[in-house]
C-alpha cells in the first residue's frame, strides 16, 4: 500500500489503491468534515441542539430531488432493469437534482422565517414539517414508478461513498474548503451568539445576516455531500455535541475539532461497513445511524445538549 501511494507499487496494487480505496477515503474525509461543520454552525446560529441537515429538511429535500431525477427524468447510475441487466443513466442529473432539493428545502424554511419572524426554535420545527412533506412527496413519486426505479431510489437513499469519482471529489473539496473558510472567519460572531442575541447585537454582530448566510453556506456544504453520497445521518448532529463536551464551545477550536472528528467518524463508519459483513458492503447511512443514535441518546441523558 505504501509503495502504491508513492507510485512504486505493482499495477494491480496501484489500481486498487488509487481507483478503489483512495476515492472512498477522500469522500469520507470531505463528507464528514462538511456535515460536521454544517451541523456545528446550524446549532450555533439557530441556538438549537437538534439542528442538523436531517432536522432542517435538507436530507429529505435531497432525497425528493433524487427521486424526481431517477423516476421522472430517467437519470441515476446503476439502475437494474426488468430483464436483470443494468441501465446506466446520468448520475450528474441525480446529483444536481438532489443538491437542488436540499437547497430548496432551506430556502423555503428561511423564507417562512423571514415572512413570519419565526424564532430559531420554530425554524427547526418548520424544517421537521418540511421533512415530512418531502417524505410524502417522495412516497407518491415512488408509488407511480416501476419496480426497478423504486429500487434505484431506495439504493440511493442508503448512502454510498463509492459513487463519487475524482471529478466529484474536486467539487466536494471546493465547496467544503470554501464553507470551512467562511465559518472560521465568522468564529467570533458564533462565539458572541453563544451568549444570546442581545449580547451579540451589543457587540456589533449582525445576527440576522450571520444566521441567514451561515445557514445558506452550511446547506450548500451538506447538500453537496448528500447529492454525491446519499443520505448520511447523525454526523452533523452528534459530532458537534461530542466536541463541545471535550473542548468547550469556543468556536476557534470547536470548528476545526468538529471537522476532524466528523471526518474520522465517517471514515471509521466506512471501514465498519466493509468489515462487519465482509464481503458484503453495508449501507454507510445505516452504520452512522447505529453509531450516532446511541451516542446522542447518551448525551441527552447526561444533559450535555443545551
Amino acid at each position: 500500500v505504501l509503495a502504491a501511494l508513492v507510485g512504486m507499487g505493482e499495477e494491480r496494487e496501484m489500481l486498487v489503491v488509487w481507483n478503489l480505496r483512495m476515492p472512498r477515503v477522500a469522500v469520507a474525509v470531505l463528507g464528514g468534515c462538511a456535515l460536521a461543520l454544517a451541523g456545528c454552525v446550524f446549532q450555533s446560529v439557530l441556538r438549537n441542539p437538534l439542528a442538523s441537515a436531517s432536522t432542517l429538511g435538507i436530507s429529505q429535500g435531497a432525497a425528493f430531488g433524487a427521486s424526481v431525477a431517477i423516476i421522472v427524468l430517467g437519470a441515476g447510475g446503476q439502475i437494474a432493469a426488468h430483464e436483470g441487466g443494468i441501465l446506466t443513466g446520468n448520475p450528474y442529473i441525480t446529483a444536481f437534482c438532489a443538491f437542488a432539493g436540499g437547497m430548496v428545502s432551506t430556502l423555503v424554511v428561511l423564507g417562512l422565517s423571514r415572512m413570519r419572524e419565526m424564532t430559531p426554535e420554530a425554524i427547526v420545527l418548520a424544517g421537521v414539517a418540511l421533512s415530512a412533506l418531502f417524505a410524502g412527496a417522495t412516497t407518491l413519486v415512488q408509488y407511480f414508478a416501476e419496480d426497478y426505479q423504486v429500487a434505484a431510489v431506495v439504493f440511493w437513499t442508503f448512502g454510498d461513498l463509492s459513487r463519487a469519482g475524482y471529478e466529484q471529489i474536486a467539487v466536494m473539496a471546493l465547496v467544503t474548503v470554501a464553507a470551512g473558510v467562511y465559518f472560521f472567519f465568522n468564529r467570533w460572531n458564533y462565539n458572541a451568539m453563544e451568549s444570546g442575541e442581545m449580547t451579540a447585537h451589543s457587540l456589533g454582530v449582525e445576527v440576522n445576516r450571520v444566521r441567514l448566510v451561515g445557514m445558506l453556506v452550511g446547506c450548500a456544504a451538506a447538500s453537496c455531500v448528500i447529492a454525491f453520497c446519499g443520505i448520511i445521518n447523525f454526523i452533523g448532529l452528534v459530532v458537534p455535541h461530542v466536541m463541545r463536551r471535550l473542548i468547550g464551545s469556543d468556536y476557534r477550536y470547536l470548528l476545526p475539532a468538529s471537522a476532524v472528528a466528523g471526518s474520522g467518524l465517517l471514515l471509521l463508519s466506512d471501514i465498519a461497513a466493509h468489515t462487519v459483513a465482509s464481503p458484503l458492503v453495508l449501507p454507510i447511512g445505516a452504520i452512522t445511524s447505529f453509531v450516532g443514535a446511541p451516542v446522542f441518546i447518551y448525551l441527552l441523558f447526561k444533559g450535555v445538549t443545551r
Side-chain angles (χ1 to χ4, degrees):
V1 172
L2 293 177
L5 286 174
V6 298
M8 299 176 61
E10 297 180 0
E11 182 179 358
R12 180 177 62 86
E13 296 168 345
M14 297 278 289
L15 179 65
V16 171
V17 170
W18 287 103
N19 290 10
L20 298 179
R21 304 304 184 200
M22 189 58 69
R24 294 186 70 95
V25 172
V27 171
V29 171
L30 291 171
C33 176
L35 292 173
L37 285 174
C40 187
V41 172
F42 288 154
Q43 293 166 15
S44 171
V45 298
L46 294 178
R47 299 290 298 162
N48 193 309
L50 298 180
S52 68
S54 299
T55 55
L56 291 174
I58 299 172
S59 297
Q60 289 73 19
F64 174 72
S67 299
V68 171
I70 293 173
I71 296 173
V72 179
L73 303 180
Q78 303 299 312
I79 302 176
H82 288 296
E83 294 81 5
I86 297 295
L87 298 178
T88 301
N90 190 340
Y92 291 99
I93 296 179
T94 306
F96 175 79
C97 290
F99 180 84
M103 292 299 294
V104 166
S105 177
T106 299
L107 291 176
V108 170
V109 171
L110 289 176
L112 291 174
S113 68
R114 300 290 288 183
M115 291 172 55
R116 299 289 299 176
E117 293 296 329
M118 298 167 63
T119 64
E121 294 79 6
I123 292 177
V124 175
L125 293 178
V128 173
L130 200 60
S131 297
L133 179 63
F134 276 122
T138 302
T139 301
L140 286 178
V141 172
Q142 293 177 353
Y143 184 79
F144 294 102
E146 300 291 341
D147 292 344
Y148 71 93
Q149 292 176 322
V150 175
V153 173
V154 173
F155 179 77
W156 186 92
T157 59
F158 283 165
D160 185 4
L161 302 185
S162 65
R163 298 173 191 165
Y166 283 110
E167 293 181 0
Q168 292 82 11
I169 291 172
V171 174
M172 289 177 59
L174 179 63
V175 174
T176 301
V177 170
V181 170
Y182 173 80
F183 293 151
F184 192 72
F185 272 109
N186 282 271
R187 60 195 183 279
W188 291 110
N189 292 332
Y190 303 142
N191 279 340
M193 293 175 68
E194 284 291 302
S195 300
E197 291 190 17
M198 296 301 296
T199 302
H201 277 299
S202 67
L203 293 173
V205 177
E206 298 181 27
V207 174
N208 290 332
R209 181 187 64 82
V210 171
R211 177 179 295 134
L212 175 63
V213 179
M215 287 193 63
L216 288 176
V217 174
C219 173
S223 297
C224 183
V225 175
I226 295 170
F228 290 131
C229 303
I231 296 178
I232 300 175
N233 295 314
F234 281 103
I235 298 292
L237 185 62
V238 171
V239 168
H241 289 304
V242 175
M243 290 298 102
R244 279 192 184 93
R245 184 172 188 185
L246 294 177
I247 65 173
S249 297
D250 189 337
Y251 281 83
R252 294 177 297 170
Y253 311 113
L254 181 59
L255 286 171
S258 296
V260 173
S263 298
L265 179 58
L266 190 55
L267 189 59
L268 290 175
S269 298
D270 186 52
I271 294 173
H274 276 79
T275 57
V276 169
S278 181
L280 297 177
V281 180
L282 299 179
I284 188 66
I287 300 298
T288 56
S289 296
F290 275 117
V291 173
V295 173
F296 190 70
I297 293 174
Y298 169 77
L299 293 173
L300 286 175
F301 276 104
K302 296 292 289 186
V304 174
T305 56
R306 50 177 163 77

